[in-house]
Amino acid sequence: MAHNAKKALQELARRGPHDVLHGDLALVGLPGVVCAPRSGRGLAAVAFGHGWLQPARRYTGLLRHLASWGFVVAAPTTHTGPFASHRMFAADLRTALDICVNVRLGEGGISVDERRLGVAGHGMGGGCAVLAAAEDSRIRAVAGLSTTETTPSAIAAAGRVSVPGMQLAGERDLMASARSNAEPINRAWGGPAQLRTVRKAGHLAFAEGRHWSELLLQGRSHYGSQRLSRALLTAFFLRTLTGDRRGSELLTNDVSGAAIDGEHSKGPLAAA
C-alpha cells in the first residue's frame, strides 16, 4: 500500500494530460484569475482563496496544475489588504463558483457541472473556504493549506459542513499552528476529514515565488511543500468531485513528508 501511495504521489505531482488555458475573471465581473483545460463538458470546478496579504498569482502553479488534471479553477483577487473581510471573501469564493457554472469559458468548449464543485484556500483563504462550504450546499469538498481561524469562526462553521475535508498544516507554521486551527476545525467537522502535517513547511511554504509580505509573515516559499500539496489536492478533488480513484492509495496512506494525523482525522476520504 505504501508503495502504491508513493507511485500515486509521483504521478499526481506531475502535470496532468490537459492543455491549460489561463484567463482573467475581471472580464466577467470579479477580479481574479481562472485556469481551465482547453476543452471539456461537465467538468468539476474549484474556487481557491489566497492567504492574508497574498495575491492570487502566488498560487498560479497550483491552479495550473489542477487545471491540467481536468478542473476549472477560479481564484478571486479580492480582500488582499490588511483589513480583509472574511465573510465577504467567502462570498467571493461562492461567486467564483457561480461564474464557473454559468459562464461558458474558453471559446465555448468548456462547461462545469454544478454537482461537482469544491473550494480550497491558503491561510485566511482556507478558513473562508470553510465558511463558503457551510453556506453553500452545492460544494462537495473542501481543502485547506495552513488554514487560519476567521471571523465569523471557521471552527464553528465546520460543524455545518458534512462533505469531505482535507487540511494540510505546516510543521513549522508559527502563524497557523495545527493545534489552534486545523485540529479544532477537523474535530468540529461534520463529515469525513483528514489532517496531514507537512514537514518543514512554514506559513508561506505553499505560496509561490517572492513577495514583500515575507517581511511581515513567517516562512517562505518551499517547493517540496508545494509538490506535496499539489499531489494531495489533486488526489482529493479527483476522488471527491469526479469519482476518479487514481489517487485513492494516496488518500489512505502516509507519504514521506506528509503523514496522516490519525488522532485528528475521521472517516475514509477515499470512500467518500
Side-chain angles (χ1 to χ4, degrees), residues 205-250:
F206 302 107
E208 300 156 17
R210 303 297 301 271
H211 190 253
W212 64 264
S213 60
E214 293 175 2
L215 299 173
L216 300 176
L217 306 181
Q218 182 264 340
R220 61 176 55 191
S221 180
H222 183 251
Y223 173 76
S225 300
Q226 292 160 26
R227 178 178 179 272
L228 281 169
S229 62
R230 290 174 189 178
L232 287 165
L233 264 62
T234 300
F236 175 68
F237 285 126
L238 280 174
R239 183 67 190 96
T240 56
L241 298 184
T242 74
D244 190 322
R245 295 179 178 272
R246 277 178 289 181
S248 293
E249 295 293 346
L250 185 55

Side-chain angles (χ1 to χ4, degrees), residues 2 10 16 19 33 49 63 67 70 96 101 110 119 121 128 135 143 170 176 192 205 209 237 241 247:
Q10 292 172 344
D19 291 335
V33 298
L63 307 185
V101 170
I110 302 169
V119 285
C128 292
E135 298 296 328
F237 285 126
L241 298 184

Side-chain angles (χ1 to χ4, degrees), residues 105-116:
L105 303 170
E107 298 178 354
I110 302 169
S111 68
V112 168
D113 187 339
E114 190 175 22
R115 298 166 298 180
R116 295 180 168 186

Side-chain angles (χ1 to χ4, degrees), residues 119 126-137 139-143 153-167 185-193 236 266:
V119 285
C128 292
V130 177
L131 297 180
E135 298 296 328
D136 195 332
S137 61
I139 293 171
R140 309 308 305 159
V142 185
S153 171
I155 296 171
R160 305 197 304 275
V161 182
S162 59
V163 300
M166 171 181 279
Q167 296 293 331
I185 285 174
N186 269 29
R187 280 197 298 268
W189 204 262
F236 175 68
K266 54 186 177 182

Side-chain angles (χ1 to χ4, degrees), residues 186-204:
N186 269 29
R187 280 197 298 268
W189 204 262
Q194 186 177 100
L195 171 62
R196 290 178 185 254
T197 299
V198 179
R199 194 167 62 231
K200 298 182 180 180
H203 186 68
L204 292 178

Side-chain angles (χ1 to χ4, degrees), residues 13-30:
R14 293 194 292 264
R15 181 184 175 91
H18 297 275
D19 291 335
V20 174
L21 300 176
H22 187 279
D24 188 349
L25 279 178
L27 297 176
V28 288
L30 182 70

